[in-house]
Amino acid sequence: MRTGSEPSTARSPLRMRLWLSLWGMIWAVFGLTAFVLTGRAGWAAACGVLLVVTVTDFCFVVRHIRQGSHYQPGRDVPPYEPDRGERGGLGR
């Protein structure tokens, strides 16, 4: 919901998440191989789970980046009134 107090130069953190997930994937692969080679199955499983999480995050981030930017109202559009629940919703 738009409140009107957003900065005009606000940017999406998707590129930062992309690089952080790449960094996490590199370390998870390194840890997975190191722990498999040393025979520590518990730590290798933990690194494997971390690898799955970082690959999933990477895929979501790439998907959102490829979707492109979405419509954002300009400065001439006033902020929306907050929903006060007066009109009856799904819970009534």
Side-chain angles (χ1 to χ4, degrees):
M1 178 167 70
R2 183 171 182 270
T3 61
S5 62
E6 300 90 2
S8 62
T9 59
R11 296 284 182 163
S12 171
L14 288 175
R15 298 269 182 215
M16 182 180 63
R17 272 182 60 193
L18 178 79
W19 290 109
L20 286 174
S21 64
L22 273 172
W23 184 249
M25 279 193 291
I26 291 169
W27 279 104
V29 167
F30 174 74
L32 181 65
T33 51
F35 287 126
V36 165
L37 292 175
T38 58
R40 299 188 180 242
W43 286 106
C47 285
V49 169
L50 183 63
L51 180 62
V52 169
V53 169
T54 56
V55 167
T56 304
D57 185 50
F58 180 80
C59 291
F60 278 117
V61 168
V62 168
R63 180 177 169 262
H64 283 289
I65 289 174
R66 286 187 178 175
Q67 283 179 346
S69 59
H70 300 287
Y71 169 73
Q72 295 293 318
R75 291 182 181 263
D76 56 335
V77 178
Y80 301 127
E81 288 295 321
D83 184 23
R84 302 201 196 310
E86 299 165 354
R87 283 191 269 162
L90 297 174
R92 290 188 185 188

